Amino acid sequence: MSNKEKIISAIRKIFTRLEILETLKKTTSIKNQIRTGTGIKRVALLLIFAIMLTNVVSAYTNNGGGVCSCNSCSDCTNALNDNSVCNNEVKLTADIINQSGTCISNPSNFTNKIFDCQGHTIDGDDSGTDYGIYLYEKTGNTIKNCIITDFYYGIYLSSSSNNTLTNNTASNNNNYGIYLYSSSNNSIYNNFFNNTNNVYADTNVNNWNTTKTSGTNIVGGPYLGGNFWAKPDGTGFSETCTDSDNDGICDTNYTINTSNTDYLPLKIIPLTPPTITAVNPQTDQPLNSELGKMVINWTGSLPSGYGYKLEETSPTSAHIYYGTSTSYTHSSLDDNTYFCYRVRVQDQESNPTHYSNWSSTVCNITKDRTGPSSPNLTVTADNTNNEINLNWAEGDNGLVL
């Protein structure tokens, strides 16, 4: 049913409840009511309800060019079902958290379209037999950049073919991360699965990897290939496989069943920890300024999208820098104090999922920049000898007159 049909149906129900349907029956159209001057209030009420319902039914945004954006499960489902203005692509623009029930529930016109979550999360409420994305008899679609968590099924395809699923994450779903029933020739690659049961597929054949191609994959490796297969307990195939040449591809295939194999399962390449090369106290500040500095330098190698995290470990423990530079000036430090630092590589500043070991800790002492005290100088006049006597305390070394 189109949006227009839904609006008309809802309006009819409203008018029935208001017991004014007879008025509409007596006139051939809204146009006649306006022309004859009868039922004006009712027509105005009708228009108000129509506007309200239009806003509810079509709350997604038409971006032009067959592209729409949405920020809720119902809006995205309706957008995917709209072939008039959303006939090419639908983009999710916000995280959806604690969704009760299925989110994307088999939009009838979801065929030959793109659903792009743009890295946003579709999160369930950990209850019921529901689906993050459910498709039945759908073909030619692309679902990408979605993070789907806490449903019974993350992604479920039934009797669906020739769809592409790429760069998605399905994690912590209660039954399966992805489930394929009577579905064939779907391309499923460069996805991250982390569920107790990651995948079910029957004997229909699907494609679980693309050709090995240079490019950053979903776990930061240098090649696109298959998928990353993890488990919450750390025993997933990609977590335990060997990668003897460190190309980010497991040395062996991941066999789902006799009809379905990921020939290029992904492996996270161990990150090499950086090396701190110098921790140097600075002496370019004025004496007694209480603005001590320490310059920390290090060397290392950063994968695309990663940064260095620098921590102070003594005299306090604190995160002091994250970025791509290999030098940092730690300012406003106490004089004559022992400071220690360590650094590592990680994929994001907060809550990293991939990171190296810490470097060795390197320490140094800030300079003592306490200046000499003013001398205790005594000046007396000797009128007899026409002299001026200057006296100061013993130990005032370096006094300049």
Side-chain angles (χ1 to χ4, degrees):
M1 182 182 292
S2 67
N3 289 338
K4 188 178 296 184
E5 291 170 335
K6 290 180 181 179
I7 292 171
I8 293 172
S9 175
I11 290 173
R12 289 185 181 277
K13 291 178 182 179
I14 292 170
F15 271 70
T16 299
R17 291 172 184 172
L18 293 174
E19 298 181 350
I20 59 175
L21 188 58
E22 290 302 318
T23 300
L24 293 180
K25 290 180 180 179
K26 292 177 183 178
T27 57
T28 58
S29 68
I30 294 174
K31 182 177 179 182
N32 288 339
Q33 288 196 27
I34 295 174
R35 183 184 294 119
T36 59
T38 61
I40 296 298
K41 291 183 179 179
R42 293 182 177 87
V43 173
L45 181 62
L46 172 63
L47 293 174
I48 290 171
F49 275 116
I51 292 171
M52 292 173 62
L53 287 168
T54 300
N55 289 335
V56 171
V57 174
S58 302
Y60 49 87
T61 300
N62 177 9
N63 299 327
V67 179
C68 294
S69 57
C70 56
N71 58 17
S72 71
C73 293
S74 59
D75 290 348
C76 291
T77 298
N78 290 330
L80 291 166
N81 194 41
D82 188 340
N83 276 342
S84 58
V85 297
C86 311
N87 53 305
N88 289 327
E89 185 173 11
V90 174
K91 297 181 178 182
L92 179 62
T93 59
D95 292 341
I96 299 171
I97 304 300
N98 289 328
Q99 164 69 15
S100 177
T102 298
C103 185
I104 304 300
S105 183
N106 196 40
S108 58
N109 292 323
F110 188 14
T111 298
N112 297 320
K113 294 182 182 180
I114 298 171
F115 181 45
D116 184 357
C117 294
Q118 302 187 111
H120 290 293
T121 296
I122 300 176
D123 175 64
D125 62 356
D126 272 318
S127 66
T129 306
D130 50 11
Y131 310 82
I133 297 176
Y134 171 70
L135 300 184
Y136 174 68
E137 293 185 343
K138 296 296 178 288
T139 62
N141 298 299
T142 296
I143 299 171
K144 62 181 182 179
N145 304 321
C146 300
I147 301 172
I148 302 173
T149 64
D150 296 334
F151 289 91
Y152 194 69
Y153 298 99
I155 300 172
Y156 193 110
L157 303 185
S158 177
S159 302
S160 296
S161 60
N162 299 300
N163 298 288
T164 298
L165 281 66
T166 184
N167 209 47
N168 301 295
T169 295
S171 63
N172 298 317
N173 295 288
N174 296 326
N175 196 24
Y176 282 95
I178 184 169
Y179 196 101
L180 276 66
Y181 176 75
S182 293
S183 297
S184 61
N185 204 36
N186 296 287
S187 295
I188 304 158
Y189 68 93
N190 200 40
N191 300 288
F192 185 101
F193 297 104
N194 187 10
N195 311 270
T196 301
N197 299 307
N198 278 317
V199 55
Y200 171 83
D202 55 24
T203 55
N204 289 276
V205 178
N206 293 277
N207 305 309
W208 296 90
N209 57 270
T210 187
T211 303
K212 184 179 178 181
T213 308
S214 294
T216 304
N217 63 43
I218 197 167
V219 291
Y223 293 102
L224 298 176
N227 304 280
F228 189 86
W229 304 96
K231 286 191 175 183
D233 62 1
T235 63
F237 183 84
S238 293
E239 296 169 300
T240 58
C241 73
T242 57
D243 176 19
S244 57
D245 57 359
N246 279 332
D247 65 347
I249 305 293
C250 295
D251 293 340
T252 55
N253 305 332
Y254 175 51
T255 301
I256 298 168
N257 57 36
T258 55
S259 301
N260 292 273
T261 300
D262 184 344
Y263 291 99
L264 297 170
L266 302 178
K267 174 77 172 180
I268 293 178
I269 301 174
L271 297 172
T272 302
T275 300
I276 295 179
T277 56
V279 174
N280 293 324
Q282 299 299 289
T283 58
D284 58 349
Q285 299 82 38
L287 296 175
N288 299 318
S289 64
E290 297 183 1
L291 292 174
K293 294 181 180 179
M294 195 79 80
V295 176
I296 307 99
N297 297 308
W298 61 89
T299 60
S301 178
L302 277 183
S304 176
Y306 283 62
Y308 295 108
K309 178 176 181 177
L310 177 66
E311 282 191 350
E312 173 194 336
T313 61
S314 179
T316 61
S317 179
H319 163 60
I320 59 175
Y321 172 75
Y322 180 80
T324 58
S325 176
T326 55
S327 180
Y328 180 77
T329 300
H330 197 194
S331 304
S332 302
L333 306 180
D334 293 333
D335 281 352
N336 201 32
T337 303
Y338 201 65
F339 285 89
C340 296
Y341 303 93
R342 64 180 184 175
V343 64
R344 75 179 182 188
V345 175
Q346 58 189 53
D347 57 356
Q348 55 193 18
E349 182 169 7
S350 301
N351 303 315
T353 58
H354 188 205
Y355 45 84
S356 71
N357 292 327
W358 288 105
S359 68
S360 298
T361 300
V362 179
C363 307
N364 209 336
I365 301 174
T366 51
K367 294 293 185 181
D368 184 354
R369 294 169 300 101
T370 303
S373 59
S374 298
N376 184 17
L377 182 66
T378 303
V379 180
T380 58
D382 185 347
N383 294 325
T384 302
N385 298 312
N386 293 322
E387 294 176 346
I388 295 177
N389 298 317
L390 304 177
N391 297 283
W392 58 90
E394 184 177 348
D396 284 335
N397 298 320
L399 179 65
V400 178
L401 297 177

